[in-house]
Amino acid sequence: MKTLLSLLALLTVVTAQAKLNVVATTADLGALARAIGGDKIAITSMARPTEDSHFVDARPSFIRLLNQADVLIEGGAELEAGWLAPLLNNARNPRIQSDAIGHILALQGIRLLEVPTGPLDRSQGDVHARGNPHFLMDPANARIVAAHIADSFCKIDAASCETYRANLKQFTDALDARLLAWEKALAPFRGQHAVSYHNSWPYFSDRFGIQVDVFLEPKPGIPPTPAHLANVIKQMKEQKIRVIFVEPSLNRRTAETVARATGATLVDVSLFPGGIKGTEGDYLKLFDAITDALARALSAPAK
Amino acid sequence: MKLSKALGWSSALCLAALSLQAQETNEAEAIRRQLREANEAFQKAMENYRSATESLNKRIEAVEKKQGIVVTSAPPVYVVEGAARTNAAPTSLLPKPWSPSDPVRIGTQQSYIGISLDALMAAGYSTAKDIEALEPGGHDPKQRGFTVQNLELTLDGKVDPYFRGQANIILQITPEGETAIEVEEAFLETMSLPWNLQVKAGQYFTEFGRLNPQHPHAWDFVDQPLVNGRFLGADGLRNPGARVSWLVPTPFYSELFLGLQNSQGETAFSFRDTHEDGFLFGRPAADTRVKSFSDMIFAPRYAASFDLADGHTVVMGASAVLGPNASGKDNDTQIYGLDLFYKWKPHHQSKGFPFVTWQTEAMWRRYEAAAFAGDSDHPALPSETLRDWGIYSQLSYGFRRGWVGSLRGDYVTGRSAALDPDPDRDTRWRISPALTYYPSEFSKIRLQYNYDDRDRIGVDHSIWIQFEFLLGAHSAHKF
């Protein structure tokens, strides 16, 4: 009986604090929600920023997390396809089901790149049928997503709407100012090429003009073969490509081997705030870190 | 004169001050202009995008009209609760002004039904004479050479705002070469019950332990654990029924299941299954009828899960199934089980690798066997209680991308009874190392060796190769 009472007490404490309980599938969405929600929300991101966000385990603790959420923010472009659905089915929470106002699909209003036009089958590897899901690598898209989140927060929690609007303005102003600085930092290198393991960077390429268009994996989701890597090395030498992007979850050893053969520099990047040290929970800091590291690597004299 | 002089001086001073600041002001102005231009460019791009979307929408409408498809032009918008009902008919077919946070329909997102076909096949060799007796699972390899273990057609989707539906239709090719069809599962699950409740109803796998509700392609080995085959049956414990589950409001995940299912049929092995030859444990299995709820299978389960440290997760469960058996009018069976699953997956996992999993289940069975007077082929047997227990424990290590090494140990035994020997209750154990390679998430190749030791029969060696492919919607993995 005593334990039951203390359990009830715990429940009332949980409901007493009126913070909006927000769950984001990935850390980039979490960071945007934090920027808009400020101290009016409690935010939890499901995928760790350093792990492969396609292959997150649908841990039972997530069921409980989603069960208590007021808002769920997902990218919606198949990144979460392998793990979110069974959790949501079991969450027993009508506030965040796909038809509810508390279910935010971040991709809405975004122009997705690389939407396949021709016939699609899996011999082409694991191609995303809806388009490339890493749209937040263009800060201009973060502007759209942030506005979307603020709108939704206002509908769900009208009492704090003014705060959300003010936070949105503050974030957008800061983003606009920083975007100019980032573009300026990378402007001298427009048109240069870079290598990454997986095709996660088309939005970044589009925005900053650094063409990340050579990949260590031969097809999306298919592991590198020696023949393919030999081709990559040849191409890098021909095009004088000098940087290789390294994401925290992807194989560093392959990148190192290629770097040794070509004299290229490894640049530590991440799709998610927290994937690089010092960028935890802060979308703007992530781009500060990426553009800074990239500009340094590209301006260093060739090896 | 004085006034004009003063004015002249002051304006001169002002000019001087301004010219001093001019350079800085110009720079700030330039940056401001740049910012303004960038903003304007952004707005313009959004405007372009908006008009492009509008014209595309109009074209879609035009095309659909031509094809005679009736559509409302309203995109799937967020509906504030209550608004849908009061505002059923769209007042205007004109698209409202677009804003970035408005939803946009992308591609053809018709996911009314998810369809997939999973094929599981095995080939191999065993020293055992009767492989069907050696491998107790219904989807285990059945013969030397090739076995089509399981062709599984899965259909699932949201039925309406209230239910989710799923059906798993199984095709198998028997050792005699005939194609057999089974409805393995066909159930609906509620999505919007209050108080953290959920109801599942239809034909479904009993939520007993960890392995029983899993489909064979999700297993880490070619064959079923021995204890599952012996206690829950070749095809696992599943029957038409209904269960309610409650997600307990604890700080950690914990869930309570209460199920009620039919107790007859070949998928209720330890209960009112009449068995192929009409006998179990030396007694005839009678076809009795259900008179009340107490003649059904009652299946309670409690499961809890903890994230121990970041990257380490454990799930524990306790289950029971209680119900009548086929040996007599008032004879019952009770099966109890404990299960443990542990997984480690590091922070920097890529494609789900590396990982370590450890899974163990122990089960106890109490079977009240009725007295049997005997006949020309069968000896007479007294009324007695048959007590059995069994365990399996398996460890899997995904040591590099696509590669998993596994090891499983099996042990089952029964306390001696009047019928002796009884191959369905005699002690046996098995060790199975396996190596699996996943070329992608949609295919796998597995090599497994079994060392079998059966009391009164002896040692057998088997080697199996298994191949799987999956076509269609890739259903997300449960933990």
Side-chain angles (χ1 to χ4, degrees), chain A residues 132-151:
Chain A
N132 194 295
H134 304 288
F135 50 83
L136 279 176
M137 293 325 285
D138 178 355
N141 284 338
R143 218 173 186 275
I144 300 175
V145 175
H148 186 174
I149 291 175
D151 272 5

Side-chain angles (χ1 to χ4, degrees), chain A residues 48 50-52 55 57-59 61 64 67 82 89 92 103 108 122 126 130 143 151 176 197 221 248-249, chain B residues 42 78 101 103 109 164 196 245 249-250 255 307 310-311 313 345 347-351 401 472 476 479:
Chain A
R48 302 181 192 103
T50 50
E51 77 179 328
D52 186 341
F55 292 83
D57 275 336
R59 296 200 299 275
S61 56
R64 191 69 188 117
N67 176 249
N89 284 341
R92 299 140 206 234
H103 188 127
Q108 289 178 330
R122 283 198 184 124
D126 203 359
R130 298 189 103 178
R143 218 173 186 275
D151 272 5
D176 288 345
Y197 190 95
S249 71
Chain B
F42 177 74
Y78 285 132
S101 56
Q109 286 299 307
R164 195 185 76 79
N196 281 354
S245 92
T250 43
E255 193 170 352
D307 292 335
D310 218 4
T313 302
K345 198 172 176 183
H347 292 182
H348 289 71
Q349 59 90 1
S350 175
K351 309 287 165 200
R401 185 174 159 181
F479 191 72

Side-chain angles (χ1 to χ4, degrees), chain A residues 7 10-11 48 50-61 63-64 67-68 81-86 89-94 97-101 103-105 107-112 122 126 130 140-141 143-144 147-149 151-152 155 176-177 180 183-184 197-198 207 217 220-224 248-251, chain B residues 31 34-35 38-39 42-43 46 49 76 78-80 98-104 106 109 158 161 164 189-193 196-198 243 245-255 305 307 310-313 315 343 345-352 401 437 439-442 470-479:
Chain A
L7 205 73
L10 190 86
L11 285 175
R48 302 181 192 103
T50 50
E51 77 179 328
D52 186 341
S53 46
H54 295 79
F55 292 83
V56 176
D57 275 336
R59 296 200 299 275
S61 56
I63 296 173
R64 191 69 188 117
N67 176 249
Q68 291 167 296
W83 47 279
L84 188 61
N89 284 341
N90 213 1
R92 299 140 206 234
N93 181 353
Q97 292 302 328
S98 55
D99 56 342
I101 192 172
H103 188 127
I104 302 179
L105 274 178
L107 61 55
Q108 289 178 330
I110 305 280
R111 186 175 57 96
L112 290 188
R122 283 198 184 124
D126 203 359
R130 298 189 103 178
N141 284 338
R143 218 173 186 275
I144 300 175
H148 186 174
I149 291 175
D151 272 5
S152 298
K155 283 182 198 157
D176 288 345
L180 280 183
E183 287 195 309
K184 204 170 155 193
Y197 190 95
H198 180 72
R207 171 61 45 192
E217 57 179 19
I222 304 297
S249 71
L250 295 172
N251 192 329
Chain B
I31 295 171
Q34 241 177 322
L35 176 61
N39 275 335
F42 177 74
Q43 294 300 341
M46 292 310 302
Y49 177 41
Y78 285 132
V79 178
V80 185
W98 189 85
S99 90
S101 56
D102 276 351
V104 170
I106 295 152
Q109 286 299 307
K158 306 263 169 79
R164 195 185 76 79
E189 224 171 36
T190 62
M191 293 193 298
S192 52
L193 283 190
N196 281 354
L197 294 177
Q198 186 194 57
R243 75 106 170 94
S245 92
W246 180 44
L247 192 62
V248 189
T250 43
F252 52 91
Y253 162 86
S254 82
E255 193 170 352
S305 172
D307 292 335
D310 218 4
H312 301 262
T313 302
V315 189
K343 182 163 187 176
K345 198 172 176 183
H347 292 182
H348 289 71
Q349 59 90 1
S350 175
K351 309 287 165 200
R401 185 174 159 181
Y437 173 61
S440 76
E441 297 159 74
F442 306 99
L470 173 70
L471 288 172
H474 179 231
S475 56
H477 302 286
K478 278 195 170 178
F479 191 72

